[in-house]
Amino acid sequence: MGAAGGSREGHRVLMESRYYSKKLNRHFSKRLDFLIYAHDGRGLGHASRGIAIGLALRRLYPQCKTVFVSGCKQAASLIGNGTLDWIKLPSYSTTIVKGRAEGGYGHANFYKSVLGQLRTEMLASIMKIFQPRIVLVDHAPTGKRNELLRALEVTKDADTRWVLGLRGIIGDDKDVWSDESIQCFKNHYDLILWYGDKQVMGTEYPHMIAQRFGSKPVETGYVSRLMESKHLMASENDTLAGTISIPWGTETTWKFVRRIHDAIKGIGESHGPWRLFVDQEKKQVIQGLFRDLPFCTVDEVSERYIPSLLHSRMAIVYAGYNSMSDILASRIPAVVLLRDLKDREQQTHVDSLLPFTKKYVTVLAESNTDTQSLQQALERQLNAPPWHNETLNMNGAEVSALTVAEGIVCEE
């Protein structure tokens, strides 16, 4: 094609990406500025990080067009009162068998391999329709079950910029470290955000990332949804004894809930009410268990979680990145529970945090903690000293938003 033909083609593509309003007599860009992708994993960490950064983008760049996409069924609750819009993919369903995650039929009743094909087509279509300028992907360069590969090809000849975000301590995860994932990054991505803090986690992971991926990561600090959303929450007057978060679990977890019940019953209501936030599918069963404790409320995971946490004397959480970030950002004492998982990423992270949190956090193993030990730990944290540690970097969502938006000029 000659120069004139190329010029006409470029003009045609430019006009196709804009919409003309007769009423306003002006053109509007149809391109999305930021698309944030998070696959639905066992817990809420992937989605929570993506939503936190999305909320930061909406706060810092309100004129830009930003959309979050995930199969996470709790995404709307995690967004809460924020103005972040999102697209729901059909969800995967994951169970834990002998310490490892296994998939089966999703919530739409598609088997995992069929669901993977459907989601692959959906994500490719989203890329064709929205033509995003920036795509931020959490954790897995190729997406859940390689569902981003078609989407990556769709944007191959466009000016879409792909960015990978990795949690502070990754663990032994083939979705990140496999040769396929690394080659995918080298072929399509040009930036890595590391949601870590070197003063806590050291330099091992950023060095490993740089060596394996051939790209030096940008250290952002902890990405905390609580830091971005707490100012959006309605204020509460109640002072709670504690907030308990159990967004997912294994059979061992649901048996351990009985010990939580018995420990709180032993403490009584003198410190105030308790609130539990649990998996929607387990809500009714756990409500029945706590029916004899009228000072305890059982709710599904919702936007009420963060206000509850901010008005609590202490918390009981599991040791995922998301939950630990909540504790670090809310600055309240906590009992942190460790599941018996083959991937020791959570154990490694908690161990690295202990020098900063040992006065305020008690760590217990779910599999071998009895009711008496749990009750003693709860009573100790209810009387823990005020949190004074201010050295940790909790501004990861804002730093990530500023980094991915660098050089972007949002169009009307």
Side-chain angles (χ1 to χ4, degrees), residues 222-227 230 242-245 305-306 309-310 312-337 349-350 353 356-357 360-362 381 387 389 392 394:
Y222 280 91
V223 173
S224 167
R225 182 174 55 90
L226 187 147
M227 294 294 288
K230 64 181 179 181
T243 293
I244 303 168
S245 175
Y305 170 68
I306 286 180
L309 194 66
L310 292 173
S312 293
R313 297 167 63 96
M314 66 155 296
I316 304 175
V317 299
Y318 281 81
Y321 179 103
N322 178 48
S323 295
M324 293 306 300
S325 297
D326 287 341
I327 295 304
L328 296 173
S330 63
R331 299 167 60 80
I332 62 172
V335 169
V336 174
L337 303 171
H349 183 205
V350 168
L353 275 170
F356 302 87
T357 62
Y360 322 106
V361 171
T362 298
Q381 296 309 89
W387 188 296
N389 193 322
L392 301 180
M394 301 304 300

Side-chain angles (χ1 to χ4, degrees), residues 147-382:
E147 65 187 7
L148 287 178
L149 291 179
R150 286 281 307 280
L152 287 158
E153 289 299 321
V154 165
T155 63
K156 190 174 181 180
D157 297 324
D159 59 351
T160 298
R161 187 185 190 203
W162 288 78
V163 180
L164 177 65
L166 297 175
R167 67 182 176 229
I169 294 178
I170 300 162
D172 182 18
D173 194 326
K174 66 180 181 180
D175 287 341
V176 177
W177 301 120
S178 71
D179 292 341
E180 181 182 26
S181 293
I182 291 170
Q183 191 58 51
C184 175
F185 174 87
K186 292 179 177 179
N187 289 344
H188 298 283
Y189 290 74
D190 63 2
L191 180 66
I192 300 180
L193 305 179
W194 181 58
Y195 305 140
D197 185 340
K198 287 179 183 174
Q199 64 179 325
V200 176
M201 302 161 190
T203 60
E204 176 186 357
Y205 271 98
H207 284 168
M208 186 187 306
I209 291 167
Q211 184 178 30
R212 295 293 301 277
F213 286 89
S215 177
K216 183 179 179 181
V218 175
E219 178 185 351
T220 67
Y222 280 91
V223 173
S224 167
R225 182 174 55 90
L226 187 147
M227 294 294 288
E228 278 301 320
S229 57
K230 64 181 179 181
H231 65 283
L232 301 170
M233 301 296 176
S235 60
E236 292 196 3
N237 297 321
D238 294 340
T239 298
L240 306 174
T243 293
I244 303 168
S245 175
I246 316 175
W248 68 277
T250 65
E251 285 304 310
T252 303
T253 300
W254 307 125
K255 291 176 182 177
F256 190 80
V257 172
R258 164 64 72 177
R259 287 176 228 165
I260 294 176
H261 166 276
D262 294 346
I264 292 175
K265 184 175 183 179
I267 293 171
E269 57 183 312
S270 60
H271 294 282
W274 295 77
R275 290 185 185 168
L276 291 85
F277 292 87
V278 303
D279 186 342
Q280 182 182 22
E281 296 176 5
K282 297 292 182 179
K283 177 183 173 181
Q284 189 171 357
V285 173
I286 296 175
Q287 278 181 329
L289 174 62
F290 279 82
R291 190 167 289 125
D292 64 329
L293 302 181
F295 56 95
C296 293
T297 303
V298 179
D299 200 354
E300 62 195 64
V301 175
S302 72
E303 65 274 11
R304 292 182 289 277
Y305 170 68
I306 286 180
S308 178
L309 194 66
L310 292 173
H311 290 83
S312 293
R313 297 167 63 96
M314 66 155 296
I316 304 175
V317 299
Y318 281 81
Y321 179 103
N322 178 48
S323 295
M324 293 306 300
S325 297
D326 287 341
I327 295 304
L328 296 173
S330 63
R331 299 167 60 80
I332 62 172
V335 169
V336 174
L337 303 171
L338 286 168
R339 293 186 175 94
D340 186 16
L341 299 175
K342 298 294 184 183
D343 183 349
R344 291 180 56 80
E345 165 260 323
Q346 294 183 3
Q347 174 76 66
T348 303
H349 183 205
V350 168
D351 288 346
S352 67
L353 275 170
L354 283 179
F356 302 87
T357 62
K358 59 185 177 183
K359 292 181 181 178
Y360 322 106
V361 171
T362 298
V363 181
L364 301 175
E366 177 189 69
S367 59
N368 59 13
T369 298
D370 59 31
T371 300
Q372 183 179 1
S373 299
L374 177 60
Q375 181 175 331
Q376 290 172 349
L378 296 180
E379 290 173 335
R380 186 163 58 250
Q381 296 309 89
L382 284 166

Side-chain angles (χ1 to χ4, degrees), residues 31-245:
R31 292 196 69 181
L32 188 66
D33 295 303
F34 305 105
L35 179 68
I36 303 169
Y37 162 89
H39 73 263
D40 30 326
R42 294 188 303 255
L44 303 179
H46 302 296
S48 187
R49 284 190 293 272
I51 287 168
I53 296 169
L55 291 172
L57 285 167
R58 293 291 294 125
R59 173 174 61 83
L60 295 168
Y61 306 98
Q63 76 281 13
C64 290
K65 303 171 183 67
T66 304
V67 169
F68 173 73
V69 58
S70 179
C72 176
K73 63 182 180 180
Q74 296 97 341
S77 296
L78 296 177
I79 293 169
N81 294 325
T83 57
L84 178 64
D85 210 345
W86 72 294
I87 298 171
K88 173 73 170 66
L89 302 174
S91 300
Y92 284 99
S93 181
T94 304
T95 56
I96 304 298
V97 179
K98 295 182 179 179
R100 294 188 182 278
E102 290 191 6
Y105 287 87
H107 295 111
N109 211 29
F110 289 108
Y111 187 63
K112 61 183 180 181
S113 54
V114 178
L115 185 54
Q117 293 176 14
L118 294 173
R119 287 176 41 143
T120 295
E121 295 294 332
M122 289 180 70
L123 287 162
S125 295
I126 288 169
M127 294 298 164
K128 291 177 184 177
I129 294 168
F130 287 101
Q131 306 172 52
R133 301 175 188 277
I134 302 287
V135 180
L136 174 60
V137 174
D138 188 90
H139 190 67
T142 65
K144 181 90 169 181
R145 299 183 64 83
N146 295 327
E147 65 187 7
L148 287 178
L149 291 179
R150 286 281 307 280
L152 287 158
E153 289 299 321
V154 165
T155 63
K156 190 174 181 180
D157 297 324
D159 59 351
T160 298
R161 187 185 190 203
W162 288 78
V163 180
L164 177 65
L166 297 175
R167 67 182 176 229
I169 294 178
I170 300 162
D172 182 18
D173 194 326
K174 66 180 181 180
D175 287 341
V176 177
W177 301 120
S178 71
D179 292 341
E180 181 182 26
S181 293
I182 291 170
Q183 191 58 51
C184 175
F185 174 87
K186 292 179 177 179
N187 289 344
H188 298 283
Y189 290 74
D190 63 2
L191 180 66
I192 300 180
L193 305 179
W194 181 58
Y195 305 140
D197 185 340
K198 287 179 183 174
Q199 64 179 325
V200 176
M201 302 161 190
T203 60
E204 176 186 357
Y205 271 98
H207 284 168
M208 186 187 306
I209 291 167
Q211 184 178 30
R212 295 293 301 277
F213 286 89
S215 177
K216 183 179 179 181
V218 175
E219 178 185 351
T220 67
Y222 280 91
V223 173
S224 167
R225 182 174 55 90
L226 187 147
M227 294 294 288
E228 278 301 320
S229 57
K230 64 181 179 181
H231 65 283
L232 301 170
M233 301 296 176
S235 60
E236 292 196 3
N237 297 321
D238 294 340
T239 298
L240 306 174
T243 293
I244 303 168
S245 175

